[in-house]
Amino acid sequence: MTQISLSSSAISPSSPSSPINETQSLTLTLIPGLPNDVGALILSFISYSYHGRLKCICRSWRLFLSSKALISLRHTHRSLSHLLCIFPQDPSVASPYLFDPQNLAWCPLPPMPCNPHVYGLCNFTSVAIGPYLYVLGGSVFDTRSFPLDRPSPSSAAFRFDFYTWSWERISSMLSPRGSFACVALPNLGQILVAGGGSRHKLFAAAGSRISSVEMYDIKRDEWVSLDGLPSFRAGCVGFFVKDGEESEFWVMGGYGESRTISGVFPVDEYYRDAVVMEMKNENGGGKWREVGDIWDIGERIRLGKIVVVENEDHRRPGVYMLDGIDILRYDMASNRWQEESRVPREARCNLSSLGFVVLDGELLVITLRKAVESADSRRSLRQHKKTRSLYIQIYNPKKKTWRSLTTKSPFLNNLDFSNAVMCSIRM
């Protein structure tokens, strides 16, 4: 094995937790009595959700657990943790949390930098690429705009660096947007966004819609404009399809124009189709083509919650929709949704508040439920502590099987999955 040497260069020089000089090199013992390469290998197999606590034990562990050598070892020995990041509300107000379903462990992230002029951020998108977590766009209220009660789309973009355990501002999008399609391309170091608008969660069917499409180059920290969508589209979802040498960016569903009932109540006009851009090269490009209706008139009004399961061999991904308690799968050949499975235990709550996310190739259906725990034995038996628990039902598309788990929620307030943002991370 190669000797692991811990130095100040092992962590980012911008890390606020690093008290040592950049040019100073140290060799510290990780585990007394063991070579550092063996100690490093042992520490690399510990679930990432516990690293925050382990960093407080000693300087050598803090340096190693904040180094790129750790991520390299975890990739080499395939000991990566599949984590779920949950944003309960505005991330500048409420801290997001990482959840490790294997160990039922939670780890809070620091709040995102706060802008004193804006508040109530929602409808943003979060994606993870390697050791970085991105938060893009959204809808906000801006005290500098008029009227004050009208939401505005945001072009702000932030990145959380797991090496330095801190947020940083990156280049803003060219067009402000919320409720938009987004897909990450880790192999190319790119992020694609399409459509969107200014609607806020407090408004029913108001706000703007746009058709612009952009691509973010991670290395250059630069947004580039691509050919826009054929029409205005917000509230849509996006995914990437690679079939052999062909690569495509799909944008599905959403809403465009709106109409009013009795000239008063705004109602959205939802799309029943999808549009596809052929990605001809690494710089994007290609024209949009329209795909016919993906369901018949009267079959349903709008898309449910969509998740995409990426294939490890880079074949076409699996696109799944949660429609009530039914899980449907999109078949590209027939351009129709097909029945896949049904949630085995119907949640005792409003079905719109069910969370739906993909993690490690499996589909997670999440809901809150009340749990009653006995108080400490030293107290009266009549006293109880009411808490909230997350009930997670997990479906494996390959095995066609379900399983479930329950964990205590770390959030002080009720978690509203109709507004919460979730994404998966491999660390």
Coordinates of all heavy atoms in Angstrom, one line a residue, residues 160-249:
F160 N -22.2 23.9 -2.4 CA -21.6 23.4 -1.1 C -20.5 22.5 -1.3 O -20.6 21.5 -2.0 CB -22.7 22.7 -0.3 CG -22.2 22.4 1.1 CD1 -22.1 23.3 2.1 CD2 -21.9 21.1 1.4 CE1 -21.7 23.0 3.4 CE2 -21.4 20.7 2.7 CZ -21.3 21.7 3.7
D161 N -19.3 22.8 -0.8 CA -18.1 22.0 -0.9 C -18.0 21.2 0.3 O -17.8 21.6 1.4 CB -16.9 23.0 -1.0 CG -15.6 22.3 -1.4 OD1 -15.5 21.0 -1.1 OD2 -14.7 22.9 -1.9
F162 N -18.0 19.8 0.1 CA -17.9 18.9 1.3 C -16.5 18.8 1.8 O -16.3 18.3 2.9 CB -18.4 17.5 0.9 CG -19.9 17.4 0.8 CD1 -20.6 17.7 -0.4 CD2 -20.7 17.1 2.0 CE1 -22.0 17.6 -0.4 CE2 -22.0 17.0 1.9 CZ -22.7 17.3 0.7
Y163 N -15.5 19.3 1.0 CA -14.1 19.3 1.5 C -14.0 20.4 2.6 O -13.4 20.2 3.6 CB -13.1 19.5 0.4 CG -13.0 18.4 -0.6 CD1 -13.1 18.6 -2.0 CD2 -12.9 17.1 -0.2 CE1 -13.0 17.6 -2.9 CE2 -12.8 16.0 -1.1 CZ -12.8 16.3 -2.4 OH -12.7 15.3 -3.3
T164 N -14.4 21.6 2.3 CA -14.3 22.7 3.2 C -15.5 22.9 4.1 O -15.5 23.7 5.0 CB -14.1 24.0 2.4 OG1 -15.3 24.3 1.6 CG2 -12.9 23.9 1.4
W165 N -16.6 22.1 3.8 CA -17.8 22.2 4.6 C -18.3 23.6 4.6 O -18.7 24.1 5.7 CB -17.5 21.7 6.0 CG -18.8 21.2 6.7 CD1 -19.4 21.8 7.8 CD2 -19.5 20.0 6.5 NE1 -20.5 21.0 8.2 CE2 -20.6 19.9 7.4 CE3 -19.4 19.0 5.5 CZ2 -21.5 18.9 7.4 CZ3 -20.3 17.9 5.6 CH2 -21.3 17.9 6.5
S166 N -18.4 24.2 3.5 CA -18.9 25.6 3.4 C -19.6 25.8 2.0 O -19.3 25.1 1.1 CB -17.7 26.5 3.6 OG -16.8 26.4 2.5
W167 N -20.4 26.9 2.0 CA -21.1 27.3 0.8 C -20.3 28.4 0.1 O -19.5 29.1 0.7 CB -22.5 27.9 1.2 CG -23.5 26.9 1.6 CD1 -23.8 26.6 2.9 CD2 -24.4 26.1 0.8 NE1 -24.8 25.6 3.0 CE2 -25.1 25.3 1.7 CE3 -24.6 26.0 -0.5 CZ2 -26.1 24.4 1.3 CZ3 -25.5 25.1 -1.0 CH2 -26.3 24.3 -0.1
E168 N -20.4 28.4 -1.2 CA -19.8 29.5 -2.0 C -20.8 29.9 -3.1 O -21.6 29.1 -3.6 CB -18.5 29.0 -2.6 CG -18.6 27.8 -3.5 CD -17.3 27.4 -4.1 OE1 -16.4 28.3 -4.2 OE2 -17.1 26.3 -4.5
R169 N -20.7 31.1 -3.5 CA -21.6 31.6 -4.6 C -20.8 31.4 -5.9 O -19.6 31.6 -6.0 CB -21.8 33.1 -4.4 CG -22.7 33.8 -5.4 CD -24.1 33.5 -5.2 NE -25.0 34.1 -6.2 CZ -25.7 35.2 -6.0 NH1 -25.6 35.9 -4.8 NH2 -26.4 35.7 -6.9
I170 N -21.6 30.8 -6.9 CA -21.0 30.6 -8.2 C -21.7 31.5 -9.2 O -22.6 32.3 -8.8 CB -21.1 29.1 -8.6 CG1 -22.6 28.7 -8.7 CG2 -20.3 28.2 -7.7 CD1 -22.8 27.3 -9.2
S171 N -21.3 31.5 -10.4 CA -21.9 32.4 -11.4 C -23.4 32.2 -11.5 O -23.9 31.1 -11.5 CB -21.3 32.1 -12.8 OG -19.9 32.5 -12.8
S172 N -24.1 33.3 -11.6 CA -25.6 33.2 -11.7 C -26.0 32.8 -13.1 O -25.3 33.0 -14.1 CB -26.2 34.6 -11.4 OG -25.8 35.0 -10.1
M173 N -27.2 32.2 -13.1 CA -27.8 31.8 -14.4 C -28.0 33.0 -15.3 O -28.2 34.1 -14.7 CB -29.0 31.0 -14.2 CG -28.8 29.6 -13.6 SD -30.4 28.7 -13.4 CE -31.2 29.6 -12.2
L174 N -28.1 32.9 -16.6 CA -28.3 34.0 -17.4 C -29.7 34.5 -17.3 O -30.0 35.7 -17.4 CB -28.0 33.6 -18.9 CG -26.6 33.1 -19.2 CD1 -26.5 32.7 -20.7 CD2 -25.6 34.1 -18.8
S175 N -30.7 33.6 -17.1 CA -32.1 33.9 -16.9 C -32.6 33.4 -15.5 O -32.4 32.3 -15.2 CB -32.9 33.3 -18.0 OG -32.6 33.7 -19.3
P176 N -33.2 34.3 -14.8 CA -33.8 33.9 -13.5 C -34.9 32.9 -13.7 O -35.7 33.1 -14.6 CB -34.2 35.2 -12.8 CG -34.4 36.1 -14.0 CD -33.4 35.7 -15.0
R177 N -35.0 31.9 -12.9 CA -36.1 30.9 -13.1 C -36.3 30.1 -11.8 O -35.4 29.9 -11.0 CB -35.7 29.9 -14.2 CG -34.5 29.1 -13.9 CD -34.0 28.3 -15.2 NE -33.3 29.1 -16.1 CZ -33.4 29.0 -17.4 NH1 -34.3 28.2 -18.0 NH2 -32.6 29.8 -18.2
G178 N -37.5 29.6 -11.6 CA -37.9 28.6 -10.6 C -38.8 27.6 -11.2 O -39.3 27.8 -12.3
S179 N -38.9 26.4 -10.6 CA -39.8 25.4 -11.1 C -39.4 25.0 -12.6 O -40.2 25.0 -13.5 CB -41.3 25.8 -11.1 OG -41.7 26.0 -9.8
F180 N -38.1 24.6 -12.7 CA -37.6 24.3 -14.1 C -37.0 22.9 -14.2 O -36.8 22.2 -13.1 CB -36.5 25.3 -14.4 CG -35.4 25.4 -13.4 CD1 -34.2 24.7 -13.5 CD2 -35.5 26.3 -12.3 CE1 -33.2 24.8 -12.5 CE2 -34.5 26.4 -11.3 CZ -33.4 25.6 -11.4
A181 N -36.8 22.5 -15.4 CA -36.2 21.2 -15.6 C -34.7 21.3 -15.4 O -34.1 22.3 -15.8 CB -36.5 20.7 -17.0
C182 N -34.1 20.3 -14.8 CA -32.6 20.3 -14.6 C -32.1 18.9 -14.6 O -32.7 18.0 -14.1 CB -32.4 21.0 -13.2 SG -30.6 21.1 -12.7
V183 N -30.9 18.8 -15.2 CA -30.2 17.5 -15.2 C -28.7 17.7 -15.1 O -28.2 18.7 -15.6 CB -30.5 16.7 -16.5 CG1 -30.0 17.4 -17.7 CG2 -30.0 15.3 -16.4
A184 N -28.0 16.9 -14.3 CA -26.6 17.0 -14.1 C -25.9 15.9 -15.0 O -26.4 14.8 -15.1 CB -26.2 16.7 -12.6
L185 N -24.8 16.3 -15.6 CA -24.0 15.4 -16.4 C -22.6 15.3 -15.8 O -21.7 16.0 -16.2 CB -23.9 15.9 -17.9 CG -25.2 16.3 -18.5 CD1 -25.0 16.8 -20.0 CD2 -26.1 15.1 -18.6
P186 N -22.4 14.4 -14.8 CA -21.1 14.4 -14.1 C -20.0 14.0 -15.0 O -18.9 14.6 -14.8 CB -21.4 13.2 -13.0 CG -22.9 13.1 -12.9 CD -23.4 13.5 -14.3
N187 N -20.1 13.2 -16.0 CA -19.0 12.8 -16.8 C -18.5 13.9 -17.7 O -17.3 14.0 -18.0 CB -19.4 11.6 -17.7 CG -19.7 10.3 -17.0 OD1 -19.2 10.2 -15.9 ND2 -20.6 9.5 -17.5
L188 N -19.4 14.9 -18.0 CA -19.0 16.0 -18.8 C -18.8 17.3 -17.9 O -18.3 18.3 -18.5 CB -20.1 16.3 -19.8 CG -20.4 15.2 -20.8 CD1 -21.6 15.7 -21.8 CD2 -19.2 14.9 -21.7
G189 N -19.1 17.2 -16.7 CA -18.9 18.4 -15.8 C -19.9 19.5 -16.2 O -19.5 20.6 -16.2
Q190 N -21.1 19.1 -16.5 CA -22.1 20.1 -16.9 C -23.4 19.9 -16.2 O -23.7 18.9 -15.7 CB -22.3 20.0 -18.4 CG -21.1 20.2 -19.3 CD -21.3 19.9 -20.7 OE1 -22.3 19.2 -21.1 NE2 -20.4 20.3 -21.6
I191 N -24.2 21.0 -16.2 CA -25.6 21.0 -15.7 C -26.4 21.7 -16.7 O -26.1 22.8 -17.2 CB -25.7 21.8 -14.3 CG1 -24.8 21.1 -13.3 CG2 -27.1 21.8 -13.8 CD1 -24.7 21.8 -11.9
L192 N -27.6 21.1 -17.1 CA -28.5 21.7 -18.0 C -29.8 22.1 -17.3 O -30.3 21.4 -16.5 CB -28.8 20.7 -19.1 CG -27.7 20.2 -20.0 CD1 -28.2 19.0 -20.9 CD2 -27.2 21.3 -20.9
V193 N -30.3 23.3 -17.7 CA -31.5 23.8 -17.1 C -32.4 24.3 -18.3 O -31.9 24.7 -19.3 CB -31.3 24.9 -16.1 CG1 -30.5 24.5 -14.9 CG2 -30.6 26.1 -16.7
A194 N -33.7 24.2 -18.1 CA -34.6 24.5 -19.2 C -36.0 25.0 -18.6 O -36.5 24.4 -17.6 CB -34.9 23.4 -20.1
G195 N -36.5 26.0 -19.2 CA -37.8 26.5 -18.8 C -37.8 27.1 -17.4 O -36.8 27.6 -16.9
G196 N -39.0 27.2 -16.8 CA -39.2 27.8 -15.5 C -40.0 29.0 -15.5 O -40.6 29.4 -16.5
G197 N -40.1 29.6 -14.3 CA -40.9 30.8 -14.2 C -40.7 31.4 -12.8 O -39.7 31.2 -12.1
S198 N -41.7 32.3 -12.4 CA -41.6 33.0 -11.1 C -42.6 32.6 -10.1 O -42.6 33.2 -9.0 CB -41.7 34.5 -11.4 OG -43.0 34.8 -11.9
R199 N -43.4 31.5 -10.3 CA -44.4 31.2 -9.4 C -43.8 30.8 -8.0 O -42.8 30.1 -7.9 CB -45.2 30.0 -9.9 CG -46.2 29.5 -8.9 CD -47.0 28.3 -9.4 NE -47.8 28.6 -10.6 CZ -48.6 27.8 -11.2 NH1 -48.6 26.5 -10.8 NH2 -49.3 28.2 -12.2
H200 N -44.5 31.3 -7.0 CA -44.2 31.0 -5.6 C -45.2 30.0 -5.0 O -46.3 29.9 -5.5 CB -44.1 32.3 -4.8 CG -43.4 32.1 -3.5 ND1 -44.1 31.7 -2.3 CD2 -42.1 32.3 -3.1 CE1 -43.2 31.7 -1.3 NE2 -42.0 32.0 -1.8
K201 N -44.8 29.3 -4.0 CA -45.7 28.3 -3.4 C -46.9 28.9 -2.8 O -47.9 28.2 -2.6 CB -44.9 27.5 -2.4 CG -44.5 28.3 -1.2 CD -43.7 27.4 -0.2 CE -43.3 28.2 1.1 NZ -42.6 27.4 2.1
L202 N -46.9 30.2 -2.5 CA -48.1 30.8 -1.9 C -49.1 31.3 -3.0 O -50.2 31.7 -2.6 CB -47.6 32.1 -1.1 CG -46.7 31.8 0.1 CD1 -46.3 33.1 0.7 CD2 -47.3 30.9 1.0
F203 N -48.7 31.1 -4.3 CA -49.7 31.5 -5.3 C -50.1 30.3 -6.1 O -49.4 29.4 -6.4 CB -49.0 32.5 -6.3 CG -48.7 33.9 -5.6 CD1 -47.7 34.1 -4.7 CD2 -49.6 34.9 -5.9 CE1 -47.5 35.3 -4.1 CE2 -49.4 36.2 -5.3 CZ -48.3 36.3 -4.4
A204 N -51.4 30.4 -6.6 CA -52.0 29.2 -7.2 C -51.5 29.1 -8.7 O -50.8 28.2 -9.0 CB -53.5 29.3 -7.2
A205 N -51.9 30.0 -9.5 CA -51.5 29.9 -10.9 C -51.1 31.3 -11.5 O -51.7 31.8 -12.4 CB -52.7 29.3 -11.7
A206 N -50.2 31.9 -10.8 CA -49.7 33.2 -11.2 C -48.2 33.1 -11.5 O -47.6 32.1 -11.4 CB -50.0 34.2 -10.1
G207 N -47.7 34.2 -12.0 CA -46.3 34.2 -12.3 C -45.9 34.1 -13.8 O -46.8 33.8 -14.6
S208 N -44.7 34.3 -14.1 CA -44.2 34.3 -15.5 C -43.8 32.9 -15.9 O -43.6 32.0 -15.1 CB -43.1 35.2 -15.6 OG -42.0 34.8 -14.8
R209 N -43.6 32.7 -17.2 CA -43.1 31.4 -17.8 C -42.0 31.8 -18.8 O -42.1 32.9 -19.4 CB -44.1 30.6 -18.5 CG -45.1 29.9 -17.6 CD -46.3 30.7 -17.2 NE -47.4 29.9 -16.8 CZ -48.3 30.3 -15.9 NH1 -48.2 31.5 -15.3 NH2 -49.3 29.5 -15.6
I210 N -41.0 31.0 -18.9 CA -39.9 31.3 -19.9 C -39.6 30.0 -20.7 O -40.0 28.9 -20.3 CB -38.6 31.8 -19.2 CG1 -38.0 30.7 -18.3 CG2 -38.9 33.1 -18.5 CD1 -36.7 31.1 -17.7
S211 N -38.8 30.2 -21.8 CA -38.5 29.0 -22.6 C -37.0 28.9 -22.7 O -36.5 28.0 -23.5 CB -39.1 29.2 -24.0 OG -38.6 30.4 -24.6
S212 N -36.2 29.7 -22.1 CA -34.7 29.7 -22.3 C -34.1 28.4 -21.7 O -34.6 27.8 -20.8 CB -34.1 30.9 -21.6 OG -34.2 30.8 -20.2
V213 N -33.0 28.0 -22.3 CA -32.2 26.8 -21.9 C -30.8 27.2 -21.8 O -30.2 28.0 -22.6 CB -32.4 25.7 -23.0 CG1 -31.6 24.5 -22.6 CG2 -33.8 25.4 -23.2
E214 N -30.1 26.7 -20.7 CA -28.7 27.1 -20.4 C -28.0 25.8 -20.0 O -28.5 24.8 -19.6 CB -28.6 28.1 -19.3 CG -29.4 29.4 -19.6 CD -29.3 30.3 -18.4 OE1 -28.3 30.3 -17.7 OE2 -30.3 31.0 -18.1
M215 N -26.6 25.9 -20.2 CA -25.7 24.9 -19.8 C -24.6 25.5 -18.9 O -24.0 26.5 -19.3 CB -25.1 24.2 -21.0 CG -24.1 23.0 -20.6 SD -23.3 22.4 -22.1 CE -22.3 23.7 -22.6
Y216 N -24.4 24.9 -17.8 CA -23.3 25.3 -16.9 C -22.1 24.5 -17.0 O -22.2 23.3 -16.9 CB -23.8 25.3 -15.4 CG -22.8 25.7 -14.4 CD1 -22.3 27.1 -14.4 CD2 -22.3 24.9 -13.5 CE1 -21.4 27.5 -13.4 CE2 -21.4 25.2 -12.5 CZ -20.9 26.6 -12.5 OH -20.0 27.0 -11.6
D217 N -21.0 25.1 -17.2 CA -19.7 24.5 -17.3 C -19.0 24.6 -15.9 O -18.6 25.7 -15.5 CB -18.8 25.1 -18.4 CG -17.5 24.3 -18.6 OD1 -16.8 24.0 -17.7 OD2 -17.3 23.9 -19.8
I218 N -18.8 23.5 -15.2 CA -18.3 23.5 -13.9 C -16.9 24.0 -13.8 O -16.6 24.8 -12.9 CB -18.5 22.1 -13.2 CG1 -19.9 21.7 -13.1 CG2 -17.8 22.1 -11.9 CD1 -20.2 20.3 -12.6
K219 N -16.0 23.6 -14.7 CA -14.6 24.0 -14.6 C -14.5 25.5 -14.9 O -13.7 26.1 -14.3 CB -13.8 23.2 -15.7 CG -13.7 21.7 -15.3 CD -12.8 21.0 -16.3 CE -12.6 19.5 -15.9 NZ -11.7 18.8 -16.9
R220 N -15.2 26.0 -15.9 CA -15.1 27.4 -16.2 C -16.0 28.3 -15.4 O -15.9 29.5 -15.4 CB -15.5 27.6 -17.7 CG -14.6 26.8 -18.7 CD -15.1 27.1 -20.1 NE -14.2 26.4 -21.1 CZ -14.4 26.5 -22.4 NH1 -15.4 27.2 -22.9 NH2 -13.6 25.8 -23.2
D221 N -16.9 27.7 -14.6 CA -17.9 28.5 -13.8 C -18.6 29.5 -14.7 O -18.6 30.7 -14.5 CB -17.2 29.2 -12.7 CG -18.2 29.9 -11.7 OD1 -19.3 29.5 -11.6 OD2 -17.8 30.9 -11.1
E222 N -19.2 28.9 -15.8 CA -19.8 29.7 -16.8 C -21.1 29.1 -17.3 O -21.2 27.9 -17.5 CB -18.8 29.9 -18.0 CG -19.3 30.8 -19.1 CD -18.2 30.8 -20.2 OE1 -17.4 29.9 -20.3 OE2 -18.3 31.8 -21.0
W223 N -22.1 30.0 -17.5 CA -23.3 29.6 -18.1 C -23.4 30.0 -19.6 O -23.0 31.1 -19.9 CB -24.5 30.2 -17.4 CG -24.7 29.7 -16.0 CD1 -24.2 30.3 -14.9 CD2 -25.5 28.6 -15.6 NE1 -24.6 29.6 -13.8 CE2 -25.5 28.5 -14.2 CE3 -26.3 27.7 -16.3 CZ2 -26.1 27.6 -13.5 CZ3 -27.0 26.7 -15.6 CH2 -26.9 26.6 -14.2
V224 N -23.8 29.0 -20.4 CA -23.9 29.3 -21.9 C -25.3 29.1 -22.3 O -26.0 28.1 -21.9 CB -23.0 28.3 -22.6 CG1 -23.1 28.5 -24.1 CG2 -21.5 28.5 -22.2
S225 N -25.8 29.9 -23.1 CA -27.2 29.8 -23.6 C -27.3 28.8 -24.8 O -26.4 28.8 -25.7 CB -27.7 31.2 -24.1 OG -29.0 31.1 -24.6
L226 N -28.3 28.0 -24.8 CA -28.6 27.0 -25.8 C -29.9 27.4 -26.5 O -30.6 28.3 -26.1 CB -28.7 25.6 -25.3 CG -27.4 25.1 -24.5 CD1 -27.7 23.7 -24.0 CD2 -26.2 25.2 -25.4
D227 N -30.3 26.7 -27.5 CA -31.6 26.9 -28.2 C -32.7 26.7 -27.2 O -32.8 25.8 -26.5 CB -31.7 25.9 -29.4 CG -30.8 26.3 -30.5 OD1 -30.3 27.4 -30.6 OD2 -30.6 25.4 -31.4
G228 N -33.6 27.7 -27.2 CA -34.7 27.7 -26.3 C -35.8 26.6 -26.6 O -35.8 26.1 -27.7
L229 N -36.6 26.3 -25.6 CA -37.7 25.4 -25.8 C -38.7 25.9 -26.9 O -38.8 27.1 -27.2 CB -38.5 25.2 -24.5 CG -37.7 24.5 -23.4 CD1 -38.5 24.7 -22.1 CD2 -37.5 23.1 -23.6
P230 N -39.4 25.0 -27.6 CA -40.4 25.5 -28.6 C -41.4 26.4 -28.1 O -42.0 27.2 -28.8 CB -41.0 24.1 -29.1 CG -40.0 23.1 -28.7 CD -39.3 23.6 -27.5
S231 N -41.7 26.4 -26.8 CA -42.7 27.3 -26.2 C -42.4 27.4 -24.7 O -41.6 26.7 -24.1 CB -44.1 26.7 -26.4 OG -44.2 25.4 -25.8
F232 N -43.1 28.4 -24.1 CA -42.9 28.7 -22.7 C -43.3 27.4 -21.9 O -44.3 26.8 -22.2 CB -43.8 29.8 -22.2 CG -43.4 31.1 -22.8 CD1 -44.3 32.1 -23.1 CD2 -42.1 31.4 -23.1 CE1 -44.0 33.3 -23.6 CE2 -41.7 32.6 -23.7 CZ -42.7 33.6 -23.9
R233 N -42.5 27.0 -20.9 CA -42.8 25.8 -20.1 C -42.2 25.9 -18.7 O -41.0 26.1 -18.6 CB -42.3 24.6 -20.9 CG -42.7 23.3 -20.3 CD -42.1 22.1 -21.0 NE -42.5 22.0 -22.4 CZ -43.3 21.0 -22.9 NH1 -43.7 20.0 -22.1 NH2 -43.6 21.0 -24.2
A234 N -43.0 25.8 -17.7 CA -42.6 25.8 -16.3 C -43.1 24.6 -15.6 O -44.1 24.0 -16.1 CB -43.0 27.1 -15.6
G235 N -42.6 24.3 -14.4 CA -43.1 23.2 -13.7 C -42.8 21.8 -14.4 O -43.4 20.8 -14.1
C236 N -41.8 21.8 -15.2 CA -41.4 20.6 -16.0 C -40.3 19.9 -15.3 O -39.6 20.3 -14.4 CB -41.0 21.0 -17.4 SG -39.9 22.4 -17.5
V237 N -40.0 18.7 -15.8 CA -38.9 17.8 -15.3 C -38.0 17.5 -16.5 O -38.4 17.5 -17.7 CB -39.4 16.5 -14.7 CG1 -40.2 16.9 -13.5 CG2 -40.2 15.7 -15.7
G238 N -36.7 17.2 -16.2 CA -35.8 16.9 -17.3 C -35.0 15.7 -16.9 O -34.8 15.4 -15.7
F239 N -34.5 15.0 -17.9 CA -33.6 13.9 -17.7 C -32.8 13.7 -19.0 O -33.1 14.2 -20.1 CB -34.4 12.6 -17.4 CG -35.4 12.2 -18.3 CD1 -35.2 11.3 -19.4 CD2 -36.7 12.6 -18.1 CE1 -36.2 10.9 -20.3 CE2 -37.8 12.3 -19.0 CZ -37.5 11.4 -20.1
F240 N -31.7 12.9 -18.8 CA -30.7 12.7 -19.9 C -30.8 11.3 -20.4 O -30.8 10.4 -19.5 CB -29.3 13.1 -19.4 CG -28.2 13.0 -20.4 CD1 -28.1 14.0 -21.4 CD2 -27.3 12.0 -20.4 CE1 -27.1 14.0 -22.3 CE2 -26.3 12.0 -21.3 CZ -26.2 13.0 -22.3
V241 N -30.8 11.1 -21.7 CA -30.9 9.8 -22.3 C -29.6 9.6 -23.2 O -29.4 10.4 -24.0 CB -32.1 9.6 -23.1 CG1 -32.1 8.3 -23.8 CG2 -33.4 9.7 -22.2
K242 N -28.9 8.5 -22.9 CA -27.8 8.2 -23.7 C -28.0 6.7 -24.3 O -28.1 5.8 -23.5 CB -26.5 8.3 -23.0 CG -25.2 8.0 -23.8 CD -24.0 8.3 -23.0 CE -22.7 8.0 -23.8 NZ -22.6 8.9 -25.0
D243 N -28.1 6.6 -25.6 CA -28.3 5.3 -26.2 C -27.2 5.2 -27.3 O -27.3 5.7 -28.4 CB -29.7 5.3 -26.8 CG -30.1 3.9 -27.3 OD1 -29.2 3.0 -27.2 OD2 -31.2 3.7 -27.8
G244 N -26.2 4.4 -26.9 CA -25.0 4.3 -27.8 C -24.3 5.6 -27.9 O -23.8 6.2 -26.9
E245 N -24.1 6.1 -29.1 CA -23.4 7.3 -29.4 C -24.4 8.5 -29.3 O -23.9 9.7 -29.3 CB -22.7 7.3 -30.7 CG -21.7 6.2 -30.9 CD -20.5 6.5 -29.9 OE1 -20.2 7.6 -29.6 OE2 -19.9 5.5 -29.5
E246 N -25.7 8.3 -29.2 CA -26.6 9.4 -29.2 C -27.0 9.8 -27.8 O -27.1 9.0 -26.9 CB -27.9 8.9 -29.9 CG -27.7 8.6 -31.4 CD -29.0 8.2 -32.0 OE1 -30.1 8.1 -31.3 OE2 -29.0 7.9 -33.3
S247 N -27.0 11.1 -27.6 CA -27.3 11.7 -26.3 C -28.5 12.7 -26.5 O -28.4 13.5 -27.4 CB -26.1 12.4 -25.7 OG -25.0 11.5 -25.5
E248 N -29.4 12.7 -25.6 CA -30.6 13.5 -25.7 C -31.0 14.1 -24.3 O -30.8 13.5 -23.3 CB -31.8 12.8 -26.2 CG -31.6 12.2 -27.6 CD -32.8 11.4 -28.1 OE1 -33.5 10.8 -27.2 OE2 -33.0 11.3 -29.3
F249 N -31.4 15.4 -24.4 CA -31.9 16.0 -23.2 C -33.5 16.1 -23.3 O -34.0 16.8 -24.2 CB -31.3 17.4 -23.1 CG -31.9 18.3 -22.0 CD1 -32.2 17.7 -20.7 CD2 -32.0 19.7 -22.1 CE1 -32.7 18.5 -19.7 CE2 -32.5 20.4 -21.1 CZ -32.8 19.9 -19.9

